[in-house]
Amino acid sequence: MIEDKTPQRTSIAQLGEFGLIDHLTKQFENTQPSTLKGIGDDAAVLDFASKKIVVSTDLLIEGVHFDLAYMPLKHLGYKAVVVNISDICAMNARATQITVSIAVSNRFPLEALEELFAGINLAAQEYKVDVIGGDTTSSQKGLIISITAIGEADEAEIVYRNGAKETNLLVVTGDIGAAYMGLQVLEREKQVFNVNPNSQPDLDAYTYLIERQLKPEARKDVRTLLHALEIKPTSMIDISDGLSSEIMHLCKQSKVGCNLYEDKLPIDPQFISVCEEFNIDSTTVAINGGEDYELLFTIAMEDFEKIKGNPNFTIIGHMTQESEGVHLVTRANTKIALKARGWNALEE
Amino acid sequence: MIEDKTPQRTSIAQLGEFGLIDHLTKQFENTQPSTLKGIGDDAAVLDFASKKIVVSTDLLIEGVHFDLAYMPLKHLGYKAVVVNISDICAMNARATQITVSIAVSNRFPLEALEELFAGINLAAQEYKVDVIGGDTTSSQKGLIISITAIGEADEAEIVYRNGAKETNLLVVTGDIGAAYMGLQVLEREKQVFNVNPNSQPDLDAYTYLIERQLKPEARKDVRTLLHALEIKPTSMIDISDGLSSEIMHLCKQSKVGCNLYEDKLPIDPQFISVCEEFNIDSTTVAINGGEDYELLFTIAMEDFEKIKGNPNFTIIGHMTQESEGVHLVTRANTKIALKARGWNALEE
């Protein structure tokens, strides 16, 4: 469908393991002062002086986390980096380095890996992270991407999941649900393509949703925005697994309850119309969808005036006593207990 | 064969993703002062004060890097950690933390993952590294393990691959080739088992070789040993990919040549007799075998007296001008050009 039909196919076995690694990694340039030694030794060497270091890692598996039928490899490389940087942003830290390990079956020609690494390099440049190491090997089946992201922060800046307090306001960045509906659109087009490979899909009505799914961005700007507003969140988490699930994490670790307001959820008009087209309840998707890579955080009530009306942030609820539980307050003003459905890769 | 036939089988889908992660990671205890926050947030938080940080990562794929027919899961977990720590040792640094990501197909019951994590935890305790994060997800096929190791060192201690000088002595720790022959023995027993599942293998004559393959150790002691001898290597690398291949790496990055002496290669008597049994040339295996996880380093000629006769170290050659090339000097005193055959996962 959207897949690039690369005309040239060079077998990766021709280059050998070391040749392949050299070929794919020579494009990476180190720009972070904290990178003393990048790719090319047994390990990379970093220097963070007085800063604290944050580390996060993610594993992406073909057929579980992505489908190459509609995910172009360059986008996949970009997204794999973004997903990890989002976790660093969720600590209120600044991403500085990544390691990238790849396993591929021999059905992938060199040109496919070049596309993937071009996407990785684009994200590395966009987010100003150095690619300092990794591993490239073969898989028995499909493509596997493992990325570890490293970031830095002053100790006083770091925001954990466990600092939310009763009466804190619950805030989310951007809008939610769009990435999930983008996936539904792509899945539907894949079915259509399987039935009729000559169909020409018109995806104009879905561009925002598809972009949210195929080319998400990490909210590296939030750290700067909050700093300028003189707000330090009391807790923060990224909502890659879905809003509902992440609220449960914050509440559990902070030992608080939460009221989330249905009428406050920030959703895009395109998202609403596509939910209607698919006959899916938009609130259900908005709170359970996942993959939006926005940040969810809590702030002290006193910070309300600083954040009010800011287009980057939406206040969607407030924290309560733990004993009150975690609820969605619907438009009809009824309270429904939230469940951490999240995105359960293991059930699929 | 050696595989544990666990009687109890709990489906991992029952626990869900978060439940599974909680269950498997609750055994990990942080003991490193540099670990401020381990598992349980978007990212771990580390503090190395004035130390430099070293980072290395490896990806292990079932059917490519290991075979569960003869690799017990607990050993596999242990080895996966050791392999990464060996890279940190090769920088002359001290391993302090690891992240562990796992992808499994649903043929693995919970008990299998418990075995794997028990091995990971055993290695973490043995090497005093904190397990500070990771990812657990499903795979389409087989088991995938991705580990990132983090270590610390003073800047002056760190040894790179590119510092070898002409006339430097080439030194290797321990003995070589045994892990490769251990694998040959295990592969042969697997064939026997496939033909006759009731055969009772007698592996007494192979215990050392099998242990080198199934339960290798990283040479964390070398850093201390060299420090006590007041030797700082000029270059260092771990020889997981085979001696020949790693010598080529050192020479290329240091811009020197090398003469390696066949009669100096440290090999175990059991290794020699099993090579004879398999009718394989022991020198070929010793220089190309791989997976020994010993360290290879160069030292100044002046340090010869300090290291001479030390049972931990064997001087196996010396560096030359780059233009002289990289050669094996045989017992018959002929010079054969070395090739970096290494362990090429992509060709298999």
Side-chain angles (χ1 to χ4, degrees):
Chain A
M1 198 162 88
I2 309 177
E3 197 179 15
D4 189 28
K5 302 285 182 241
T6 322
Q8 202 168 348
R9 294 180 65 91
T10 310
S11 159
I12 51 178
Q14 283 173 238
L15 284 101
E17 186 177 353
F18 302 128
L20 178 65
I21 293 171
D22 283 350
H23 180 83
L24 294 173
T25 60
K26 67 184 174 205
Q27 66 189 309
F28 299 128
E29 268 179 56
N30 296 327
T31 60
Q32 288 289 341
S34 53
T35 306
L36 299 191
K37 172 81 184 179
I39 289 169
D41 216 297
D42 294 279
V45 181
L46 311 177
D47 178 7
F48 289 97
S50 63
K51 299 271 186 185
K52 303 305 169 231
I53 300 138
V54 295
V55 180
S56 181
T57 192
D58 253 314
L59 196 55
L60 299 177
I61 314 278
E62 183 182 350
V64 179
H65 300 96
F66 57 89
D67 185 336
L68 291 177
Y70 46 73
M71 182 56 129
L73 281 159
K74 193 169 176 182
H75 282 69
L76 177 62
Y78 191 93
K79 182 171 175 176
V81 175
V82 163
V83 165
N84 277 274
I85 289 176
S86 182
D87 281 323
I88 302 298
C89 295
M91 302 302 287
N92 205 31
R94 193 171 70 83
T96 45
Q97 286 91 6
I98 54 171
T99 65
V100 180
S101 293
I102 307 282
V104 279
S105 68
N106 52 17
R107 82 175 154 97
F108 288 86
L110 177 62
E111 289 73 15
L113 289 184
E114 286 173 345
E115 278 293 296
L116 182 72
F117 273 72
I120 289 167
N121 197 24
L122 190 65
Q125 289 171 351
E126 176 66 30
Y127 288 91
K128 297 187 177 62
V129 295
D130 294 343
V131 183
I132 55 158
D135 196 7
T136 304
T137 186
S138 61
S139 74
Q140 284 196 297
K141 188 176 178 189
L143 174 62
I144 296 152
I145 307 173
S146 174
I147 293 186
T148 297
I150 298 169
E152 62 174 32
D154 290 327
E155 186 157 19
E157 291 177 306
I158 298 175
V159 179
Y160 294 96
R161 294 179 176 180
N162 63 4
K165 301 276 181 285
E166 281 175 50
T167 78
N168 275 184
L169 301 174
L170 183 67
V171 183
V172 71
T173 62
D175 61 74
I176 55 176
Y180 180 87
M181 286 315 293
L183 183 61
Q184 302 316 304
V185 171
L186 291 165
E187 290 280 357
R188 184 179 65 182
E189 292 307 318
K190 183 183 169 189
Q191 303 306 325
V192 172
F193 178 83
N194 286 344
V195 175
N196 176 11
N198 293 318
S199 72
Q200 290 291 323
D202 178 6
L203 298 173
D204 282 356
Y206 312 105
T207 46
Y208 178 65
L209 305 187
I210 291 172
E211 191 181 328
R212 293 285 283 178
Q213 172 58 225
L214 293 187
K215 196 168 179 291
E217 300 289 352
R219 296 303 304 255
K220 68 168 177 175
D221 57 329
V222 167
R223 184 171 166 273
T224 319
L225 288 167
L226 289 173
H227 188 77
L229 294 171
E230 295 180 354
I231 294 175
K232 186 189 173 189
T234 54
S235 70
M236 185 149 65
I237 192 167
D238 102 318
I239 54 164
S240 56
D241 287 336
L243 181 67
S244 173
S245 166
E246 310 296 9
I247 290 175
M248 300 295 286
H249 281 307
L250 278 193
C251 287
K252 189 179 167 191
Q253 294 208 20
S254 296
K255 298 190 173 58
V256 291
C258 180
N259 284 331
L260 171 70
Y261 293 89
E262 184 182 17
D263 61 351
K264 303 291 187 198
L265 295 175
I267 48 184
D268 188 85
Q270 190 176 87
F271 167 75
I272 299 172
S273 66
V274 174
C275 282
E276 282 168 5
E277 181 187 332
F278 276 73
N279 202 19
I280 301 179
D281 178 56
S282 62
T283 298
T284 304
V285 175
I287 67 173
N288 293 309
E291 287 213 273
D292 290 311
Y293 302 105
E294 297 292 342
L295 298 178
L296 177 74
F297 57 92
T298 52
I299 59 172
M301 188 110 80
E302 303 85 82
D303 288 332
F304 172 72
E305 290 294 332
K306 297 179 190 168
I307 213 164
K308 189 181 62 168
N310 189 309
N312 294 289
F313 305 117
T314 309
I315 299 166
I316 55 174
H318 61 82
M319 311 320 269
T320 62
Q321 281 196 350
E322 190 175 17
S323 58
E324 291 187 38
V326 184
H327 291 93
L328 175 73
V329 181
T330 66
R331 287 193 187 84
N333 208 25
T334 54
K335 286 176 92 170
I336 301 171
L338 276 191
K339 282 180 196 158
R341 284 213 275 186
W343 183 80
N344 196 335
L346 296 166
E347 276 179 11
E348 286 171 22
Chain B
M1 198 163 88
I2 309 174
E3 197 181 14
D4 190 26
K5 303 285 183 240
T6 322
Q8 203 169 347
R9 294 180 64 91
T10 310
S11 159
I12 50 178
Q14 283 173 240
L15 284 100
E17 187 177 353
F18 302 129
L20 178 64
I21 293 171
D22 282 351
H23 180 84
L24 294 173
T25 59
K26 67 184 176 206
Q27 65 189 309
F28 299 128
E29 269 180 55
N30 296 328
T31 60
Q32 288 290 341
S34 53
T35 307
L36 299 190
K37 171 80 185 182
I39 290 168
D41 216 296
D42 294 279
V45 181
L46 311 177
D47 178 7
F48 289 97
S50 63
K51 300 272 187 186
K52 304 303 170 233
I53 301 138
V54 295
V55 180
S56 181
T57 192
D58 253 315
L59 196 55
L60 300 176
I61 314 278
E62 183 181 350
V64 179
H65 301 96
F66 57 88
D67 185 335
L68 291 177
Y70 46 72
M71 183 55 129
L73 281 159
K74 193 170 176 181
H75 283 70
L76 177 62
Y78 191 92
K79 183 171 174 176
V81 175
V82 163
V83 165
N84 277 275
I85 288 176
S86 182
D87 282 322
I88 302 298
C89 295
M91 302 302 288
N92 205 32
R94 194 172 68 83
T96 45
Q97 286 91 8
I98 54 171
T99 65
V100 180
S101 293
I102 306 283
V104 279
S105 68
N106 52 17
R107 82 176 154 97
F108 289 86
L110 177 63
E111 289 73 15
L113 290 184
E114 286 172 345
E115 277 294 296
L116 181 74
F117 273 73
I120 290 168
N121 197 24
L122 190 64
Q125 288 170 352
E126 176 65 29
Y127 288 91
K128 297 189 176 60
V129 294
D130 294 342
V131 183
I132 55 158
D135 196 7
T136 304
T137 185
S138 61
S139 75
Q140 282 196 298
K141 188 177 179 189
L143 174 61
I144 297 152
I145 307 173
S146 174
I147 292 185
T148 297
I150 298 168
E152 62 174 31
D154 289 326
E155 186 158 18
E157 291 177 306
I158 298 175
V159 179
Y160 294 96
R161 294 179 176 181
N162 62 5
K165 302 274 180 287
E166 282 176 51
T167 78
N168 275 184
L169 302 174
L170 183 68
V171 184
V172 70
T173 62
D175 60 74
I176 55 176
Y180 180 87
M181 288 313 294
L183 183 62
Q184 303 315 307
V185 171
L186 290 165
E187 290 279 358
R188 184 178 66 182
E189 292 307 319
K190 183 184 167 187
Q191 303 305 328
V192 172
F193 179 82
N194 286 343
V195 174
N196 176 11
N198 294 317
S199 72
Q200 291 290 322
D202 178 6
L203 298 174
D204 283 356
Y206 312 104
T207 46
Y208 178 64
L209 305 187
I210 291 171
E211 191 181 328
R212 291 286 282 178
Q213 172 60 225
L214 294 187
K215 195 169 179 291
E217 300 289 354
R219 295 304 304 255
K220 69 168 175 174
D221 57 329
V222 167
R223 185 171 165 272
T224 320
L225 288 167
L226 290 173
H227 188 77
L229 294 170
E230 295 180 354
I231 294 175
K232 187 190 172 188
T234 53
S235 70
M236 186 149 63
I237 192 168
D238 101 319
I239 54 164
S240 55
D241 286 336
L243 181 65
S244 174
S245 165
E246 311 295 9
I247 290 175
M248 300 295 285
H249 281 307
L250 278 194
C251 288
K252 189 179 169 191
Q253 294 208 19
S254 297
K255 299 189 172 57
V256 291
C258 179
N259 283 332
L260 171 70
Y261 292 90
E262 184 182 17
D263 62 351
K264 304 292 186 195
L265 295 175
I267 47 182
D268 188 84
Q270 191 176 86
F271 167 74
I272 299 171
S273 65
V274 175
C275 282
E276 283 167 5
E277 183 187 331
F278 277 73
N279 202 20
I280 301 180
D281 178 56
S282 61
T283 298
T284 304
V285 174
I287 66 173
N288 294 308
E291 287 213 273
D292 291 312
Y293 302 105
E294 297 292 342
L295 298 178
L296 177 74
F297 56 92
T298 53
I299 59 172
M301 188 109 82
E302 303 85 82
D303 288 332
F304 172 72
E305 291 294 332
K306 297 178 190 169
I307 213 165
K308 187 182 62 168
N310 190 309
N312 295 289
F313 305 116
T314 308
I315 299 166
I316 56 173
H318 60 84
M319 311 322 268
T320 62
Q321 282 195 348
E322 189 174 17
S323 58
E324 290 187 37
V326 185
H327 292 93
L328 175 73
V329 181
T330 67
R331 287 193 188 85
N333 207 26
T334 54
K335 284 176 94 170
I336 301 172
L338 276 191
K339 283 180 197 160
R341 285 213 274 185
W343 182 80
N344 195 335
L346 296 166
E347 275 179 11
E348 284 171 24

